């Protein structure tokens, strides 16, 4: 039996080791568990995105997510420069149910506010809609496939216009 990880914190991933930890969690969750082809999982946006990481006190990576902004986000947000795009949110199997996903979403929203963005969009796997709705995201538009899985677009306003 494994014990639950100790307390964790979230931070912006800046160091190369942090970025590698982000990519490792994504590989475990998306490539390993969900069978997303590795060539679809990593893209040119990884170089310019803001990445966040959840880690235990001893530095073990529990989860990650990224924020696209500016031109990188335009294709996912309808072109509004005041809207960022949250994506690649992944929590390792052993850390699920501990609030790590919600903490990562809030950390990404904080990064979006720091960039002066007014709202955050995301493309949620349909099974995760309730999770994002509880965090204040609202569904818009029709269902669509992404990496072979059904998704819906969602948005949350993070500060008054």
């Amino acid at each position: 039996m494994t014990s639950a990880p100790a307390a964790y914190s979230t931070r912006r991933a800046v160091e190369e080791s942090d970025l590698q930890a982000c990519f490792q969690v994504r590989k475990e969750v998306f490539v390993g568990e969900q069978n997303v082809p590795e060539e679809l999982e990593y893209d040119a946006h990884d170089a310019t995105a803001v990445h966040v990481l959840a880690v235990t006190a001893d530095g073990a990576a529990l989860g990650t997510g990224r924020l696209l902004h500016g031109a990188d986000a335009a294709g996912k947000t309808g072109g509004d420069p005041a809207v960022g795009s949250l994506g690649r949110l992944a929590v390792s199997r052993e850390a699920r149910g501990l609030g790590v996903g919600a903490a990562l979403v809030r950390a990404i929203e904080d990064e979006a506010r720091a960039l002066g963005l007014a709202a955050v969009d995301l493309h949620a796997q349909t099974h995760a809609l309730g999770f994002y709705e509880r965090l204040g995201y609202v569904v818009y538009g029709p269902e669509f496939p992404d990496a072979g899985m059904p998704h819906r677009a969602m948005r949350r306003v993070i500060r008054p216009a």
Side-chain angles (χ1 to χ4, degrees), residues 8-156:
Y8 61 87
S9 59
T10 60
R11 66 174 184 248
R12 184 174 180 157
V14 178
E15 302 296 325
E16 185 61 30
S17 58
D18 283 351
L19 291 171
Q20 291 309 315
C22 291
F23 297 149
Q24 185 57 42
V25 171
R26 284 169 47 186
K27 185 172 184 169
E28 288 170 21
V29 173
F30 296 125
V31 179
E33 293 179 31
Q34 297 182 2
N35 299 310
V36 173
E38 208 161 340
E39 62 273 13
L40 288 181
E41 177 51 33
Y42 306 103
D43 61 26
H45 297 311
D46 280 326
T48 53
V50 174
H51 299 268
V52 296
L53 182 63
V55 294
T56 60
D58 66 2
L62 299 179
T64 186
R66 76 176 186 185
L67 174 69
L68 304 183
H69 54 94
D72 287 345
K76 296 181 182 285
T77 63
D80 185 337
V83 180
S85 176
L86 183 162
R88 302 302 203 271
L89 187 74
V91 176
S92 64
R93 190 187 307 261
E94 61 272 18
R96 292 180 193 151
L98 302 175
V100 173
L104 287 164
V105 170
R106 295 302 185 225
I108 288 169
E109 291 169 353
D110 289 344
E111 294 291 344
R113 275 187 208 91
L115 290 166
L117 300 177
V120 174
D121 268 20
L122 57 87
H123 292 167
Q125 293 179 16
T126 53
H127 70 81
L129 292 175
F131 167 78
Y132 290 110
E133 286 169 341
R134 287 189 294 278
L135 293 173
Y137 286 79
V138 178
V139 169
Y140 69 91
E143 185 176 295
F144 60 92
D146 188 5
M149 291 171 271
H151 284 67
R152 295 287 302 272
M154 303 184 83
R155 176 171 291 182
R156 179 168 187 256

